[in-house]
Amino acid sequence: MAKAKTFSLINLILSLLVISLPSNSQEFSTKLSKRKIGREKLTHLHFYFHDVLHGRHPTAVVVAQASTTASYRYKFGEVLIIDDRLTVGPNLSSRVVGRAQGMYASADVSDAGLLMVFNFVFTDGKFNGSTLSVVGRNAVLSAVREMPIIGGSGIFLFARGYARTRTHFLDLGRGYAVEEYDVYVFHY
């Protein structure tokens, strides 16, 4: 019985030593309260997106396509990289408030459906240096389309919301389109 008490005492002492030793591991995460983040806001933005495919200074360029892309009515498989102006008005000469930078791809075999993956990069006013990330489907032949806002930076931390767009002007011959955007976003 003395051996059992000694063994239990040794186990207790070792357990206490292990618990009291400093750990070499670092915390991976820390739970924050909403007070540390701030109060959530809802912001509405309204601007125009200028997509220029042809001319001396295009803002959307084809970077990839499948060997079969030309055989599809809506150029299935074509991928474009964009750096389009965002302006306060529908004219290209309107004040620039940012850029839409990223890509879109024709991702529908039988319809004009684009996969949009880009950031709104704001360069003017209180949103200067902030971004919003858009990833979603743009059914370009629909009168009004909605795409999700999945994140952001700067003023738009923890952003979530949606972008509603409609075609304001389209000239297929010149390869020029103006899209009107209304963006509704929750952020901190």
Side-chain angles (χ1 to χ4, degrees):
M1 187 135 153
K3 285 186 179 184
K5 283 185 181 179
T6 305
F7 184 74
S8 294
L9 184 59
I10 291 173
N11 278 339
L12 177 64
I13 292 170
L14 288 174
S15 296
L16 290 172
L17 283 173
V18 169
I19 291 170
S20 64
L21 291 175
S23 173
N24 288 335
S25 68
Q26 296 178 350
E27 285 296 320
F28 178 68
S29 67
T30 304
K31 186 175 181 178
L32 299 175
S33 70
K34 282 192 173 185
R35 278 181 264 144
K36 288 185 179 182
I37 299 171
R39 296 188 62 80
E40 191 173 39
K41 303 170 203 71
L42 173 62
T43 299
H44 171 237
L45 303 167
H46 180 260
F47 50 82
Y48 293 84
F49 176 118
H50 299 266
D51 203 30
V52 181
L53 291 152
H54 305 303
R56 292 176 20 151
H57 302 287
T59 61
V61 294
V62 175
V63 295
Q65 60 185 4
S67 59
T68 56
T69 295
S71 66
Y72 290 100
R73 180 175 182 188
Y74 297 105
K75 298 183 178 182
F76 176 68
E78 186 173 79
V79 179
L80 293 93
I81 298 295
I82 64 168
D83 185 9
D84 291 339
R85 281 187 219 175
L86 304 177
T87 62
V88 295
N91 298 323
L92 195 54
S93 60
S94 295
R95 180 169 55 101
V96 175
V97 295
R99 312 288 294 186
Q101 297 174 330
M103 63 181 241
Y104 58 85
S106 178
D108 191 321
V109 172
S110 59
D111 199 2
L114 302 176
L115 166 64
M116 309 291 285
V117 181
F118 62 90
N119 291 311
F120 292 129
V121 180
F122 298 100
T123 58
D124 187 57
K126 71 179 182 179
F127 302 120
N128 184 22
S130 297
T131 66
L132 289 171
S133 298
V134 178
V135 176
R137 185 175 196 276
N138 186 348
V140 295
L141 297 180
S142 297
V144 177
R145 289 93 64 197
E146 293 177 351
M147 292 171 282
I149 301 293
I150 62 163
S153 67
I155 287 178
F156 297 118
L157 289 178
F158 297 107
R160 68 188 194 290
Y162 69 98
R164 180 176 286 159
T165 186
R166 69 176 189 82
T167 302
H168 178 78
F169 176 78
L170 177 62
D171 184 338
L172 291 174
R174 287 184 27 220
Y176 178 58
V178 179
E179 301 290 322
E180 182 177 10
Y181 272 82
D182 279 294
V183 175
Y184 298 88
V185 62
F186 285 104
H187 59 95
Y188 287 94

